[in-house]
């Protein structure tokens, strides 16, 4: 099992290229099931989660060819000429919750799908009820049997419908958006998620011949088509990776330029960070960020669906606030159990009190290196940030979480001067856990 060994105290200086978004790439890969024509995705990140989704698509019969791009990222051709299996087995689905995104496309194209329930999750109870209720509105008959969702369409083809989501769900919006593209007639998704990854998916579906309006707003209208065709689509830059490195630069008192990214993806985050004393200059395709060490100020934050402050940056922001001047109240409204980084940060000297869904962070002068481990992807990276700001050496264990969502993390940070290395130990890795 690998670990990271990090010696803190070096301000990050240099350039970091941002990869394509994992959370956009995963639904885009699922969307390739909707057509018998080839779909090419460019700017694909090389990540463990992408491999997991690729393995799932393989067994559905999707043929795949990968080529590296000179400028980073990968170009991958997907061709779902025929669907060989409409079952997504437990062994592949349990590794990653986003596997449930094959349900909508399989059902829409084949009239049936059997998909394992994703199971428990480290950051709270995350049901898929909204996905299932929505598909039922489009005419699917859905049953749960032996840990599997068994869905079928008696008439063979989904029909249009009006789906009102009681809470905003990124995954349910994506599943329904994809399914509705091949349904008979018009569908309307109300209280839909507005995340940039949804807009990216809609743009790819439109390039494939879908008729969609209102993506990026909370009401999406889809006119179903008999068939979709092929397309070439570039994956949107990863806003969570961008935000993570912005905070990495800030916490080390560094000066970093983030390239291959886009401004406008993180407006609410940048507003808060500027208030906290971080300098951010937004160019068209790059962002420059700098901060004075010891010059950060405590600011309150509440996580919300887009365009609010993303839950996927909450842990990193908490690390930043742990060395700010003054206090910060951080409230998590999306997931009920997403403070697992708190005890680990406390081991490094952070002063944080959790009460229900809020954490009161009182800034300390310094963090101190310690052995730490984390239980989900974003919590892990928050510990990497803490380690880079801390005095002395920190060991971050269980870094297989990081491999799921951060491409070339060690290389990108070392290129900016961070003292970080990956060490392979011989101990057996624990069973992989499902996280965001
Ligand atoms: C996606 C992201 C994840 C991010 C999250 C919220 C991907 C692959 N993952 O996850 O990184 O943290 O959005 O921005 O894109 N819910 C239900 N029933 C459902 C579905 C969701 O109650 O059927 C609840 C969840 O428990 C949660 C909230 O809705 O409290 C939002 O979850 P959702 O937006 O669906 O998250 P994911 O799509 O799983």
């Amino acid at each position: 099992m690998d670990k990271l060994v990090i010696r803190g105290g070096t301000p990050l200086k240099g350039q970091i290229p941002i990869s394509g978004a994992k959370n956009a790439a995963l639904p885009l890969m699922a969307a390739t099931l909707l057509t018998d024509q080839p779909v090419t995705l460019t700017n694909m990140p090389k990540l463990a989660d992408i491999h997991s989704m690729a393995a799932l698509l393989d067994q559905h019969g999707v043929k795949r060819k990968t080529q590296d791009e000179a400028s980073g990222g990968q170009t991958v051709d997907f061709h779902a000429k025929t669907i060989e299996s409409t079952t997504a087995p437990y062994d592949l689905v349990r590794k990653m919750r986003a596997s449930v995104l094959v349900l909508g496309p399989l059902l829409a194209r084949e009239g049936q799908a059997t998909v394992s329930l994703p199971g428990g999750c480290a950051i709270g109870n995350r049901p898929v009820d909204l996905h299932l209720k929505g598909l039922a509105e489009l005419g699917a008959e859905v049953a749960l049997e032996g840990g599997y969702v068994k869905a079928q369409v008696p008439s063979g083809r989904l029909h249009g419908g009006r789906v009102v989501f009681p809470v905003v769900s990124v995954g349910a919006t994506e599943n329904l958006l994809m399914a509705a593209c091949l349904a008979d007639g018009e569908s309307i998704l109300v209280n839909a998620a507005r995340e940039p990854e949804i807009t990216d998916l809609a743009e790819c579906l439109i390039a494939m011949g879908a008729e969609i309006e209102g993506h990026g707003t909370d009401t999406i209208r889809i006119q179903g088509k008999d068939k979709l065709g092929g397309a070439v689509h570039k994956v949107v830059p990863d806003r969570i990776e961008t935000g993570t490195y912005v905070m990495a630069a800030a916490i080390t008192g560094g000066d970093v330029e983030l390239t291959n990214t886009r401004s406008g993806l993180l407006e609410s985050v940048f507003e808060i960070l500027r208030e906290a004393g971080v300098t951010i200059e937004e160019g068209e395709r790059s962002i420059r960020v700098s901060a004075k060490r010891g010059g950060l100020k405590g600011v309150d934050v509440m996580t919300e669906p887009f365009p609010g402050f993303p839950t996927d940056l909450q842990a990193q922001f908490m690390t930043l606030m742990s060395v700010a001047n003054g206090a910060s109240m951080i409230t998590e409204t999306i997931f009920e159990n997403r403070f697992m980084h708190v005890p680990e940060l406390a081991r490094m000297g952070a002063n944080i009190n959790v009460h229900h869904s809020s954490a009161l962070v009182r800034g300390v002068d310094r963090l101190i290196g310690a052995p730490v481990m984390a239980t989900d992807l974003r919590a892990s990276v928050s510990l990497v940030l803490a380690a880079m700001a801390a005095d002395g050496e920190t060991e971050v264990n269980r870094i297989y979480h990081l491999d799921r969502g951060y491409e070339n993390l060690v290389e990108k940070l070392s290129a900016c001067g961070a003292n970080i290395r990956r060490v392979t130990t011989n101990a057996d890795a624990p069973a992989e856990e499902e996280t965001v």
Side-chain angles (χ1 to χ4, degrees), residues 22-23 26-27 97-98 101 123 125-131 167-172 174 195 239 311-312 333-336 338 378 436:
K22 163 179 90 76
N23 287 354
L26 294 171
R97 187 182 154 81
L101 294 174
I123 61 165
N125 175 29
R126 298 171 75 191
V128 290
D129 57 319
L130 302 176
H131 301 239
V167 295
V168 177
S169 162
V170 174
E174 290 165 346
E195 268 67 4
R239 67 195 164 99
T311 174
D312 286 353
T333 72
I334 310 289
F335 295 114
E336 70 270 30
R338 210 174 191 183
R378 309 303 172 185
V436 233

Side-chain angles (χ1 to χ4, degrees), residues 319-334:
T319 300
L320 193 67
M321 291 295 95
S322 71
V323 291
N325 297 304
S328 159
M329 177 74 88
I330 300 178
T331 305
E332 172 60 55
T333 72
I334 310 289

